[in-house]
Amino acid sequence: MHDIRAIRENPTAFDAGLARRGDASVSSDLLALDEARRAKILAAETAQAEQNKASKEVGAAKGRGDEDEFQRLRALVAEKKAEIAQMQEDAKALDAQLTDALSYIPNLPADDVPDGADEADNVEVNRWGTPHTFDFEPKEHFEIASVAAHMDFETAAKTSGSRFVMLRGPIARIHRALAQFMIDTHVDTNGLTEVQTPVLVRDEAMYGTDKLPKFAEDSYRTTEGMWLISTSEITLTYSVAGDVLDASQLPIRMTAHTLCFRSEAGSAGRDTAGMLRQHQFEKVEMVSITHPDDSDAEQKRMLGCAEGILQALEIPFRTVVLCTGDMGFGARRTYDIEAWLPGQDTYREISSVSTTGDFQARRMNARFKPADGGKPQFVHTLNGSGLAVGRCLIAVLENGQQADGSVALPSVLAPYLGGKTTLNAQGELV
């Protein structure tokens, strides 16, 4: 959510920021609503002062026996009361219109975000590892001999429809091991606090984390009016909604492993093969709540945490900073980490690490008290995948595949797999 006062003070800069994202100028419409709202508030305050003055004079007129003046003043008080109620109602309606209009406007990009129209204009900032050269044609994850029997799309489709999968036996265990390894690394090495969160949330949590109202179609809603989370960014970030924190509590760093649900609206025909794009998946999320002065450094720290997972798994990757035309609605700056998938012969996104500035904090009224006193300020919120578990499974399987259909597994997973390091050609962990 944007601060209407900041727009009022510099509408040109606001429109220029939106233009970088390819959006039309809206400051004139917003300021017209704001002016009408403030005019109604001022008129109501003026009428209230007149009512108060007349109320005091009613008693005086009664005391001196001036019945005509007494009746006139009584009528004036009643008239002003009705005027004030109507003007306050009008101001409330205009305020709701303004808030609604602001809720559909995306965050402004940071000054250092590259301009661009789409993903083709993203800028690579880091590359790690060298894609392995195979002496055979590498397969996609669902085609690998040792994997195919344990990655059951047919039964999942029978029970739930398309874009679902049932993982069985050793593949389910490797998937679970990946999630445990990620959580343990974030807690033991990166210093995050593990949180077990709900996967059902109310409207307020969705709105506060900028998922509503604009992106309702991207999420699933129950018949009772609850929402299934698309990411635990929602639950972790909203945990500080309405709070006024002490500066000494910052930063708050959290991680959670949850199921996530996305309708994938608008993605028909994209990535339909395999488990790259699913309606239900698991993700290990990182969220930080920080002092405004620290949020840029915190984003780099979070990016390093996510990259470190892939380095430990020995998965080649590249990191890009998203251009203005490819950033998400609430992001001020986003880095995507793309893992190398030899079966597709390309890099695919496996993590996004974003800072929203105070965009979400304003929506959910999350603030902190400055250490040196003064008025509470809005915190900054950041979120990042650390990582998408299913996509990480894909990367591990495709990068570790062998000519005989077996898969060599990363050594860091051995403690979670009973010491086993290979998925043999028969689909057994050994």
Side-chain angles (χ1 to χ4, degrees), residues 44 51 55 86 119 142 152 162 223 386 402:
Q51 180 192 26
S55 296
Q86 184 59 56
E119 62 182 16
F142 55 91
D152 188 349
S162 62
T223 54
Q402 308 295 307

Side-chain angles (χ1 to χ4, degrees), residues 2 55 78 92 95 110 119 135 205 217 223 227 238 298 315-316 375 396 413 427:
H2 294 286
S55 296
K92 184 178 179 181
D95 187 66
E119 62 182 16
D135 56 7
E217 67 173 7
T223 54
W227 295 87
Y238 198 74
E298 184 69 10
I315 304 297
K375 184 179 178 180
V396 164
L413 295 183

